[in-house]
Structure formats: C-alpha cells, structure tokens
Amino acid sequence: MRIRDPVLGFIELNENERKVIDLYEFQRLRYIKQLALSCYVYPGAVHTRFEHSLGVMELATRIFDKLCKEHKELISKNFEEIGLNINEARQILRLSALLHDIGHLPFSHAGEEVLPQGKKHEDVTVSIILSLRDVLDRIFFNGITERIINVISKKETIKNLMILKKIIRVLLMQTGWIIC
C-alpha cells in the first residue's frame, strides 16, 4: 500500500502496517490537529497527528535504511545480541514512529489538562499500545509491543534498542516536533 504525502512523496506500507493504521485507535488521529487551534489564525496549519505519524515513520525509516547501508554488519550484530534481525528491528522502529503520538488528546497539549495530575499524552500512548498488544504481537511477532514501548518511553531503554530511540528522538528534535 502507498500513501501520497505532499512533502515526502509516497510512503510505502506493508499489509500488517495497514492493519495498524486501520485500527480505530490510529484513525482517531485524523481528527486531532498537530498544531491545536493554530488553524484559526493560520488557515493553512491543518496538519493532523495522523499525517505527522506517517511522516515520522517514513523519515525514521529513511534514516535507518541509510545507516544500515553504511554500517549493516555493525547494526546487525547489535540487534542479534538481543535476538532480533535487521528486518525485525526496522519494523520495531517503524511501529514506534507510527504509534509515538497515538495517545494525543484533542487540542494537542492543552487537552492534557483533563488527564489526572502528573499524566501526559505519553502515558496514554503507552496504555493504548498495551491495549493493542494482542493485535500487534499476533500480526507482527511475539514481544514487539514491549520493544515498541521500550523505544518510545522516556524510561531507560535496552542498550541495543537505543539506536532506534535516538533515531526517533533526533528526528523529532530536528523537525521541531519534539514538543509534540
């Protein structure tokens, strides 16, 4: 499956990723604006969390593929130490990037006021991903859910997965999306 993005061109998705995108939990991101209420002042600012998540997945994949092209042996060895092959690691990265904002509420960060004290959209994200464990582990591979959470959470990451976390983190910082 291919989705046409006006900035990035075509974003390729495999059949299992399409199943994730088709889930209600992901589709709801179509209705959550990336820039909250900015579109009322800047009518062109209508980018959604849905589009943002697809773009983060695509850019993270491009970075990973470039790194693998230049350092495949080193990267393969890193993931083999924790029982993953390059394709599994790539899939973890793609899903981590795709799902990193799945817990966002309407009105972006302003909507977090309705959450219990000390909770943020990142906590909701982890809860939603955990609720999808059966689906994710069934259509991809057993244990992928914990790997995704390990990559996107602010908690300490398994050393061998740190490269995936850093790809997403650097990408979000470079694009100005880190605050989102």
Side-chain angles (χ1 to χ4, degrees):
M1 175 181 173
R2 293 169 24 149
I3 295 176
R4 175 79 167 104
D5 181 87
V7 176
L8 301 173
F10 284 104
I11 298 173
E12 299 283 338
L13 300 160
N14 64 43
E15 184 60 27
N16 289 335
E17 291 165 343
R18 187 196 57 77
K19 290 175 185 176
V20 172
I21 288 172
D22 285 347
L23 293 170
Y24 165 78
E25 291 85 352
F26 192 81
Q27 285 294 314
R28 63 181 275 285
L29 297 179
R30 289 181 181 272
Y31 308 104
I32 300 175
K33 291 182 176 63
Q34 178 74 13
L35 301 173
L37 302 173
S38 298
C39 62
Y40 291 107
V41 178
Y42 304 99
V46 291
H47 192 68
T48 67
R49 294 283 170 183
F50 181 89
E51 296 158 326
H52 163 76
S53 297
L54 289 170
V56 172
M57 181 189 71
E58 176 63 20
L59 291 174
T61 302
R62 290 180 187 182
I63 293 168
F64 184 81
D65 290 348
K66 177 79 169 154
L67 288 171
C68 286
K69 186 176 179 181
E70 295 175 6
H71 308 285
K72 186 168 186 163
E73 190 174 310
L74 180 63
I75 292 172
S76 292
K77 184 179 176 192
N78 173 67
F79 292 119
E80 286 170 5
E81 289 177 6
I82 57 171
L84 295 173
N85 64 45
I86 265 302
N87 292 329
E88 291 168 327
R90 186 177 189 266
Q91 189 64 74
I92 291 166
L93 174 70
R94 287 177 61 82
L95 289 173
S96 298
L98 187 66
L99 299 174
H100 81 280
D101 267 352
I102 201 166
H104 256 291
L105 303 172
F107 307 111
S108 199
H109 294 278
E112 291 181 8
E113 294 294 322
V114 301
L115 295 175
Q117 183 76 24
K119 296 292 182 183
K120 300 217 176 265
H121 77 274
E122 292 92 344
D123 302 304
V124 178
T125 292
V126 169
S127 294
I128 291 172
I129 292 170
L130 283 171
S131 76
L132 298 173
R133 179 192 322 242
D134 291 343
V135 174
L136 296 173
D137 284 5
R138 181 176 33 82
I139 65 176
F140 293 98
F141 58 86
N142 194 35
I144 196 168
T145 303
E146 282 73 25
R147 305 292 179 139
I148 293 167
I149 290 169
N150 197 271
V151 170
I152 65 169
S153 76
K154 291 185 178 178
K155 295 179 181 171
E156 190 171 326
T157 302
I158 297 169
K159 180 185 76 149
N160 301 75
L161 294 177
M162 188 57 82
I163 187 171
L164 304 182
K165 180 175 250 172
K166 286 189 176 187
I167 288 171
I168 293 172
R169 192 97 179 128
V170 166
L171 176 60
L172 296 177
M173 285 191 312
Q174 292 300 314
T175 59
W177 292 335
I178 195 66
I179 60 168
C180 301

Coordinates of all heavy atoms in Angstrom, one line a residue, residues 15-45:
E15 N 1.3 -4.8 4.4 CA -0.1 -5.2 4.8 C -0.4 -5.1 6.3 O -1.4 -4.7 6.7 CB -0.4 -6.6 4.2 CG -1.8 -7.0 4.4 CD -2.9 -6.1 3.8 OE1 -2.6 -5.4 2.8 OE2 -4.0 -6.1 4.3
N16 N 0.6 -5.5 7.1 CA 0.4 -5.5 8.5 C 0.4 -4.1 9.1 O -0.4 -3.8 10.0 CB 1.5 -6.3 9.2 CG 1.3 -7.8 9.0 OD1 0.1 -8.3 8.7 ND2 2.3 -8.6 9.1
E17 N 1.2 -3.2 8.5 CA 1.2 -1.8 8.9 C -0.2 -1.2 8.6 O -0.7 -0.4 9.3 CB 2.3 -1.0 8.3 CG 3.7 -1.4 8.9 CD 4.8 -1.0 8.0 OE1 4.7 -0.6 6.8 OE2 6.0 -1.0 8.6
R18 N -0.7 -1.6 7.4 CA -2.0 -1.1 7.0 C -3.1 -1.5 8.0 O -4.0 -0.7 8.4 CB -2.4 -1.6 5.6 CG -3.7 -0.9 5.1 CD -4.4 -1.7 4.0 NE -4.6 -3.1 4.2 CZ -5.7 -3.5 5.0 NH1 -6.5 -2.7 5.5 NH2 -5.9 -4.8 5.2
K19 N -3.0 -2.7 8.6 CA -3.9 -3.1 9.6 C -3.8 -2.3 10.8 O -4.9 -2.0 11.5 CB -3.6 -4.6 10.0 CG -4.0 -5.6 8.9 CD -3.6 -7.0 9.2 CE -3.8 -7.9 8.1 NZ -3.3 -9.3 8.4
V20 N -2.6 -1.8 11.2 CA -2.5 -0.9 12.4 C -3.1 0.4 12.1 O -3.8 1.0 12.9 CB -1.0 -0.8 12.8 CG1 -0.8 0.3 13.8 CG2 -0.4 -2.2 13.2
I21 N -2.9 0.9 10.9 CA -3.4 2.2 10.5 C -4.9 2.2 10.5 O -5.6 3.2 10.8 CB -2.8 2.7 9.2 CG1 -1.3 3.1 9.4 CG2 -3.6 3.9 8.6 CD1 -0.6 3.4 8.2
D22 N -5.5 1.0 10.1 CA -6.9 0.9 10.0 C -7.6 0.8 11.4 O -8.8 0.9 11.5 CB -7.3 -0.3 9.2 CG -7.1 -0.1 7.7 OD1 -6.9 1.0 7.3 OD2 -7.1 -1.1 6.9
L23 N -6.8 0.6 12.4 CA -7.4 0.5 13.8 C -8.0 1.8 14.2 O -7.5 2.9 13.9 CB -6.4 0.1 14.8 CG -5.8 -1.3 14.7 CD1 -4.6 -1.5 15.6 CD2 -6.8 -2.4 15.0
Y24 N -9.1 1.8 14.9 CA -9.8 3.0 15.4 C -8.8 3.8 16.2 O -8.8 5.1 16.0 CB -11.0 2.6 16.3 CG -11.4 3.8 17.1 CD1 -12.2 4.8 16.5 CD2 -11.0 4.0 18.5 CE1 -12.6 5.9 17.3 CE2 -11.4 5.1 19.2 CZ -12.2 6.0 18.6 OH -12.6 7.1 19.3
E25 N -8.0 3.2 17.0 CA -7.0 3.9 17.9 C -6.1 4.8 17.0 O -5.7 5.9 17.5 CB -6.2 3.0 18.7 CG -7.0 2.3 19.8 CD -7.7 1.0 19.3 OE1 -7.7 0.7 18.1 OE2 -8.3 0.3 20.1
F26 N -5.8 4.4 15.8 CA -4.9 5.2 15.0 C -5.8 6.1 14.1 O -5.4 7.3 13.9 CB -4.0 4.3 14.1 CG -2.9 5.1 13.4 CD1 -1.8 5.4 14.1 CD2 -3.1 5.6 12.1 CE1 -0.8 6.2 13.5 CE2 -2.1 6.3 11.5 CZ -1.0 6.6 12.2
Q27 N -6.9 5.7 13.6 CA -7.7 6.5 12.7 C -8.2 7.8 13.4 O -8.4 8.8 12.8 CB -8.9 5.7 12.2 CG -8.6 4.8 11.1 CD -8.1 5.4 9.9 OE1 -8.7 6.4 9.4 NE2 -7.0 5.0 9.3
R28 N -8.3 7.7 14.8 CA -8.8 8.9 15.5 C -7.8 10.1 15.4 O -8.2 11.2 15.6 CB -9.0 8.6 17.0 CG -7.8 8.1 17.7 CD -8.1 7.8 19.2 NE -8.0 8.9 20.0 CZ -6.9 9.5 20.4 NH1 -5.7 9.1 20.0 NH2 -7.0 10.6 21.2
L29 N -6.6 9.8 15.0 CA -5.6 10.8 14.9 C -5.9 11.7 13.7 O -5.3 12.8 13.6 CB -4.1 10.2 14.7 CG -3.6 9.4 15.9 CD1 -2.2 8.9 15.6 CD2 -3.6 10.3 17.2
R30 N -6.7 11.3 12.8 CA -7.1 12.1 11.6 C -7.9 13.4 12.1 O -8.0 14.4 11.4 CB -8.1 11.3 10.7 CG -7.4 10.3 9.9 CD -8.5 9.6 9.0 NE -7.9 8.5 8.2 CZ -7.3 8.7 7.0 NH1 -7.2 9.9 6.5 NH2 -6.9 7.6 6.4
Y31 N -8.4 13.3 13.3 CA -9.3 14.4 13.8 C -8.5 15.3 14.9 O -9.2 16.1 15.5 CB -10.6 13.8 14.4 CG -11.2 12.9 13.4 CD1 -11.2 11.6 13.5 CD2 -11.9 13.5 12.3 CE1 -11.8 10.7 12.6 CE2 -12.5 12.7 11.4 CZ -12.4 11.3 11.5 OH -13.0 10.5 10.6
I32 N -7.3 15.0 15.1 CA -6.5 15.7 16.1 C -5.5 16.5 15.4 O -4.6 16.0 14.8 CB -5.9 14.8 17.2 CG1 -7.0 14.0 17.9 CG2 -5.0 15.6 18.1 CD1 -6.5 12.9 18.8
K33 N -5.6 17.8 15.5 CA -4.7 18.7 14.8 C -3.4 18.8 15.4 O -3.2 18.9 16.6 CB -5.3 20.1 14.7 CG -6.5 20.2 13.8 CD -7.1 21.6 13.6 CE -8.2 21.6 12.7 NZ -9.4 20.9 13.0
Q34 N -2.3 18.7 14.6 CA -0.9 18.8 15.1 C -0.7 20.1 15.8 O 0.0 20.1 16.8 CB 0.0 18.6 13.9 CG 1.5 18.7 14.2 CD 2.0 17.4 14.9 OE1 1.3 16.4 15.0 NE2 3.2 17.5 15.5
L35 N -1.2 21.1 15.3 CA -0.9 22.5 15.9 C -2.1 23.1 16.7 O -2.3 24.3 16.7 CB -0.5 23.4 14.7 CG 0.7 23.0 14.0 CD1 0.9 23.9 12.8 CD2 1.9 22.9 14.9
A36 N -2.9 22.2 17.2 CA -4.1 22.6 18.1 C -5.0 23.6 17.3 O -5.5 23.2 16.3 CB -3.6 23.1 19.4
L37 N -5.1 24.7 17.9 CA -6.1 25.7 17.3 C -5.4 26.7 16.4 O -6.0 27.7 16.0 CB -6.8 26.5 18.5 CG -7.5 25.6 19.4 CD1 -8.1 26.3 20.6 CD2 -8.7 24.8 18.7
S38 N -4.2 26.5 16.0 CA -3.4 27.4 15.2 C -4.1 27.7 13.8 O -4.0 28.7 13.2 CB -2.0 26.9 14.9 OG -1.3 26.9 16.1
C39 N -4.9 26.7 13.4 CA -5.6 26.8 12.1 C -6.6 28.0 12.1 O -7.0 28.4 11.0 CB -6.2 25.5 11.6 SG -7.5 24.9 12.8
Y40 N -7.0 28.4 13.2 CA -8.0 29.5 13.3 C -7.3 30.9 13.0 O -7.9 31.8 12.6 CB -8.7 29.6 14.6 CG -9.6 28.4 14.8 CD1 -9.3 27.4 15.6 CD2 -10.8 28.4 14.0 CE1 -10.2 26.3 15.7 CE2 -11.7 27.3 14.1 CZ -11.4 26.3 15.0 OH -12.2 25.2 15.1
V41 N -6.0 30.9 13.2 CA -5.2 32.1 12.9 C -4.5 31.9 11.6 O -4.4 32.9 10.8 CB -4.2 32.4 14.1 CG1 -3.3 33.6 13.8 CG2 -4.9 32.6 15.4
Y42 N -4.0 30.7 11.4 CA -3.3 30.4 10.1 C -4.0 29.3 9.4 O -3.8 28.1 9.7 CB -1.8 29.9 10.4 CG -1.0 30.9 11.2 CD1 -0.9 30.8 12.6 CD2 -0.4 32.0 10.6 CE1 -0.1 31.7 13.3 CE2 0.3 32.9 11.3 CZ 0.4 32.8 12.7 OH 1.2 33.7 13.4
P43 N -4.9 29.6 8.5 CA -5.8 28.6 7.9 C -5.1 27.5 7.2 O -5.7 26.4 7.1 CB -6.6 29.4 6.9 CG -6.6 30.8 7.4 CD -5.3 31.0 8.1
G44 N -3.9 27.7 6.9 CA -3.1 26.6 6.2 C -2.5 25.6 7.2 O -2.0 24.5 6.8
A45 N -2.6 25.9 8.5 CA -2.0 25.0 9.5 C -3.0 23.9 9.9 O -3.5 23.9 11.0 CB -1.6 25.8 10.7

